[in-house]
Amino acid sequence: MTLSKYINQIQQTGRKSFSKDEAIKALHLSSKAFDMSLLRLRKKGIIATPYKNFHIIVPPEYQAFGCLPANQFIPLLMEHLKISYYVCLLSAAELHGAAHQRPQIFQVMTNKRMRPIHCGKIAVNFIFKKDLSCVPTQFFNVPTGYLITSTPEATAMDLLLYPYQAGGINHIATVLSELVEAIEPQKLLVLARSSSQNAWVQRLGY
């Protein structure tokens, strides 16, 4: 079986990604032979590699971008890496309807330090937070499964905790003016009272 046929086979089961190790095992290829086959498919735009040894199948409608949209491949990648995450800051605000200025870089909070990803025209930045368990999140359905995202209230909190990554306090104020429509005051109050970080509460009050 060729790599192309293997890709067609896994697509028929609904899968949109695969690892190098599993493909080599299924095809009985050497690492070098796999790399050569992969290179041909990458040149055709059929396959993208956003992370080492992790490959995604790029449908024709996204081949001009050289990659799946970040909101589609991030759930696949995080599951592959077994890393906790949630979409955060300006990217989360956009998902909640605050898209005054659409962010050009997709922002993801993780509990592991990770380097930025550049896959075709798609860019992803990772922000490290040691403990994600106390941050309220929700699911958004995407074609590849579901995307874990901070709630509107938690998004407001993170924007004020990470002003540098969110474009500065003036830009945050603009985003919050739109995000406020999605925020439930009672949930925001509960989050403020339970948070161990007071800086964002003070900034939000300001």
Side-chain angles (χ1 to χ4, degrees), residues 148-184:
I148 304 173
T149 305
S150 56
T151 63
E153 299 78 26
T155 300
M157 174 184 72
D158 280 344
L159 286 169
L160 293 161
L161 285 174
Y162 301 89
Y164 177 77
Q165 290 91 338
I169 203 71
N170 288 335
H171 185 240
I172 291 169
T174 302
V175 174
L176 286 175
S177 69
E178 297 179 348
L179 185 63
V180 69
E181 295 182 12
I183 291 174
E184 295 185 29

Side-chain angles (χ1 to χ4, degrees), residues 3-167:
L3 181 57
S4 292
K5 287 183 178 179
Y6 172 74
I7 289 168
N8 288 335
Q9 188 179 81
I10 65 174
Q11 274 187 301
Q12 289 172 10
T13 66
R15 290 185 56 191
K16 301 181 185 297
S17 64
F18 62 95
S19 69
K20 178 177 179 176
D21 289 344
E22 66 178 315
I24 285 176
K25 185 177 180 180
L27 298 171
H28 306 291
L29 290 176
S30 67
S31 179
K32 186 175 181 180
F34 170 84
D35 289 343
M36 291 177 64
S37 296
L38 183 73
L39 182 61
R40 287 192 289 269
L41 296 179
R42 287 181 65 179
K43 286 181 177 179
K44 292 179 180 179
I46 298 170
I47 296 296
T49 305
Y51 198 85
K52 184 178 179 181
N53 296 331
F54 175 78
H55 314 288
I56 52 177
I57 303 165
V58 184
E61 63 266 31
Y62 294 121
Q63 288 177 7
F65 296 97
C67 193
L68 275 180
N71 64 357
Q72 293 190 31
F73 80 73
I74 283 297
L76 301 174
L77 177 61
M78 295 296 105
E79 182 180 358
H80 169 71
L81 296 175
K82 308 299 181 189
I83 292 176
S84 297
Y85 82 97
Y86 63 85
V87 179
C88 64
L89 301 174
L90 299 176
S91 297
E94 182 188 11
L95 289 169
H96 292 303
H100 178 72
Q101 289 183 327
R102 186 170 187 176
Q104 296 183 359
I105 298 176
F106 199 74
Q107 296 174 304
V108 179
M109 196 78 70
T110 65
N111 60 355
K112 179 182 178 181
R113 298 188 188 278
M114 295 178 64
R115 294 179 178 179
I117 284 177
H118 294 277
C119 182
K121 296 179 181 179
I122 306 300
V124 181
N125 270 3
F126 296 95
I127 298 95
F128 173 75
K129 181 180 283 191
K130 189 174 181 180
D131 182 17
L132 307 185
S133 62
C134 58
V135 179
T137 57
Q138 66 183 81
F139 295 150
F140 277 86
N141 288 323
V142 293
T144 52
Y146 60 83
L147 189 68
I148 304 173
T149 305
S150 56
T151 63
E153 299 78 26
T155 300
M157 174 184 72
D158 280 344
L159 286 169
L160 293 161
L161 285 174
Y162 301 89
Y164 177 77
Q165 290 91 338

